[in-house]
Amino acid sequence: MFLFIHGSFGSLDKISGGFHMMKKLTLAILLVSSASHAAVFDFSGSINFHKDVVKLGFTLNQTNTDVKVWTDSFRNGVNFDPITAVWQKSGQDWKLLEQNDDDGSIAAGQTRYDSGLKFTSLGAGEYLFTIATYNNSAVGPLLSNGFVFDGQAPIRLEDWNQPANGLNRGKEWSVHLSGVDTVTPVPEPETYALMGMGLLGLLGAARRRKAAA
């Protein structure tokens, strides 16, 4: 998996491992940090397997009384049924604050089995927003405890009979975050490993060219 950044305000694509992400920002967000709580950060992509978990890190510079995170990709059964959770940084781990299966009432565009969370008070700090397939919920109070499907063999989404939803659900996901200051996609560990391998390959090629010159 490799990460590429392109476009005027960028889209971050994660290729060959499962999903790509699109992040849309306005010039006002980039230039006026004080306006960030009024902004909505939008991400979309796709997953390959039933046990995949998408992770987005976000930060708050100060306590906010109106933080929302939500999906709008279910589209009445066109795509998989999502389950979401928000975690707070706790030492070297992440502590589960809340998780949700179905809440289509947070914003326009959601349908019956979309998911999301609303917080009326969230303190300054680092947080994590995770998106998984129903019912791949968190096993325990810490992220390191894992998810229900972790021990299962991966099943391609097009072949998976999702509980309560059946076969032939799409792979696409779309999420939004409001009331936060920054949002950063979190690559899976294998992404870092492959990026390192790619960098080593580039260094090796550069040395060979230098030696041949």
Side-chain angles (χ1 to χ4, degrees):
M1 287 170 272
F2 296 91
L3 297 179
F4 300 90
I5 298 177
H6 60 83
S8 56
F9 296 114
S11 72
L12 182 60
D13 289 1
K14 181 180 178 185
I15 301 174
S16 79
F19 56 86
H20 66 278
M21 300 181 180
M22 301 293 291
K23 180 180 180 182
K24 302 174 183 176
L25 301 177
T26 66
L27 185 61
I29 299 170
L30 293 175
L31 297 180
V32 187
S33 60
S34 62
S36 60
H37 281 180
V40 176
F41 294 82
D42 305 312
F43 289 79
S44 62
S46 61
I47 61 173
N48 281 335
F49 301 103
H50 81 302
K51 61 188 290 182
D52 288 345
V53 178
V54 179
K55 299 177 181 138
L56 301 173
F58 69 89
T59 62
L60 290 178
N61 295 333
Q62 59 189 19
T63 297
N64 193 359
T65 57
D66 187 20
V67 175
K68 299 174 184 176
V69 295
W70 71 95
T71 72
D72 62 1
S73 49
F74 181 66
R75 295 174 55 198
N76 287 317
V78 171
N79 292 304
F80 69 89
D81 179 359
I83 184 169
T84 60
V86 169
W87 313 72
Q88 185 174 27
K89 185 72 172 175
S90 179
Q92 298 301 309
D93 212 334
W94 298 88
K95 179 177 66 176
L96 180 64
L97 295 183
E98 198 171 337
Q99 64 181 332
N100 172 264
D101 175 20
D102 300 325
D103 189 344
S105 67
I106 296 175
Q110 292 185 285
T111 55
R112 181 181 179 187
Y113 288 152
D114 271 306
S115 175
L117 294 159
K118 297 181 284 189
F119 297 90
T120 56
S121 182
L122 209 55
E126 297 178 55
Y127 297 88
L128 194 68
F129 178 36
T130 58
I131 307 97
T133 62
Y134 174 79
N135 52 356
N136 191 21
S137 57
V139 171
L142 298 175
L143 186 65
S144 60
N145 297 141
F147 293 82
V148 170
F149 294 165
D150 284 352
Q152 300 180 12
I155 304 171
R156 297 194 68 85
L157 216 62
E158 56 266 33
D159 301 325
W160 184 45
N161 188 356
Q162 185 179 22
N165 286 279
L167 290 164
N168 300 318
R169 301 299 178 213
K171 302 193 272 186
E172 304 303 312
W173 56 266
S174 174
V175 299
H176 312 274
L177 301 89
S178 68
V180 305
D181 290 295
T182 64
V183 185
T184 307
V186 180
E188 294 299 316
E190 62 268 22
T191 302
Y192 292 115
L194 286 174
M195 288 175 66
M197 291 170 60
L199 289 172
L200 287 174
L202 289 172
L203 287 172
R207 286 173 182 165
R208 288 192 294 273
R209 285 197 299 269
K210 185 176 180 180

